[in-house]
Amino acid sequence: MRDLHRRLARLACGVQLDAAEVERAEFGPATAAAVADFQRSRHLLSSGRCDRQTWSALVEAGYSLGDRLLYLRAPMVRGDDVASLQHALGSRGFHAGRVDGIFGPVTSAALAEFQRNLGLPPDGICGPDTVSALSRLGRRAADTLVGVVREAESHRRRLRELALVRVAVGRSAGLEVVGDDVGELREFL
């Protein structure tokens, strides 16, 4: 219980923890409210109970970039530090994938490419030297993530491809209504 209170206090959830609950290491109404607030902030089911998913999210939220070594392993490393790394790489032009806080193969490849570009050993391990290099470079002015740009371009291409798609629907038994609707849709377009 003390660990839960310590983690909630460190994250400065929107609800103030009750000093008496913390002192007695109780899970009372104030703790439940703080857990529910944390759950809402992480888009989890806001039950106010500290279930396995909530506890995992609390642990992951406790890491900042540079607190630990980040590298590809199984199971994959998760945490706010990974999300910060993904964002930092993406904003500097290295495609680390979607900012999801999971250190997967795409993040590892982006990290190795970043290291190679800066003359660091391209080992795919985010340690003190890599964190220092990221902070020295600063952010690009636009702070646009490469992954966001790539995803938008992918959607734009799909729309163009869809415009070229032709669908043929025959008017066999039971499909008369669909055929009529397609005809109306074609007239609408």
Side-chain angles (χ1 to χ4, degrees):
M1 190 58 56
R2 293 191 193 286
D3 194 19
L4 173 64
H5 287 138
R6 182 180 53 78
R7 289 178 188 276
L8 288 169
R10 181 174 178 215
L11 294 171
C13 294
V15 177
Q16 184 67 29
L17 288 171
D18 184 307
E21 284 181 23
V22 173
E23 178 69 28
R24 292 188 303 265
E26 290 179 350
F27 192 98
T31 303
V35 168
D37 187 61
F38 172 77
Q39 289 169 325
R40 277 189 296 279
S41 74
R42 295 297 170 133
H43 307 289
L44 300 171
L45 178 64
S46 180
S47 66
R49 287 178 279 134
C50 189
D51 55 16
R52 181 176 291 176
Q53 186 178 21
T54 302
W55 180 253
S56 293
L58 270 167
V59 170
E60 293 168 6
Y63 293 110
S64 296
L65 188 58
D67 287 351
R68 60 184 174 160
L69 291 178
L70 300 175
Y71 55 93
L72 186 60
R73 66 176 192 201
M76 292 182 205
V77 178
R78 297 171 172 259
D80 284 8
D81 52 348
V82 177
S84 295
L85 173 63
Q86 291 169 326
H87 188 272
L89 289 169
S91 67
R92 288 163 180 83
F94 298 90
H95 178 56
R98 181 171 281 139
V99 179
D100 59 5
I102 302 170
F103 195 101
V106 175
T107 304
S108 180
L111 177 59
E113 185 62 25
F114 171 78
Q115 292 169 326
R116 191 176 357 273
N117 275 268
L118 266 69
L120 297 170
D123 56 10
I125 299 172
C126 183
D129 292 341
T130 303
V131 172
S132 176
L134 282 166
S135 63
R136 275 195 320 266
L137 284 179
R139 288 199 165 129
R140 289 182 5 192
D143 204 23
T144 301
L145 300 180
V146 171
V148 172
V149 173
R150 285 187 178 189
E151 191 169 335
E153 180 59 25
S154 172
H155 289 302
R156 195 170 17 261
R157 279 192 198 129
R158 284 192 195 114
L159 287 175
R160 276 190 239 125
E161 291 168 4
L162 282 176
L164 302 174
V165 172
R166 299 289 183 242
V167 177
V169 179
R171 290 183 185 234
S172 61
L175 293 178
E176 292 85 11
V177 174
V178 174
D180 292 340
D181 288 345
V182 170
E184 290 175 23
L185 179 62
R186 185 172 182 191
E187 290 173 20
F188 177 75
L189 294 175

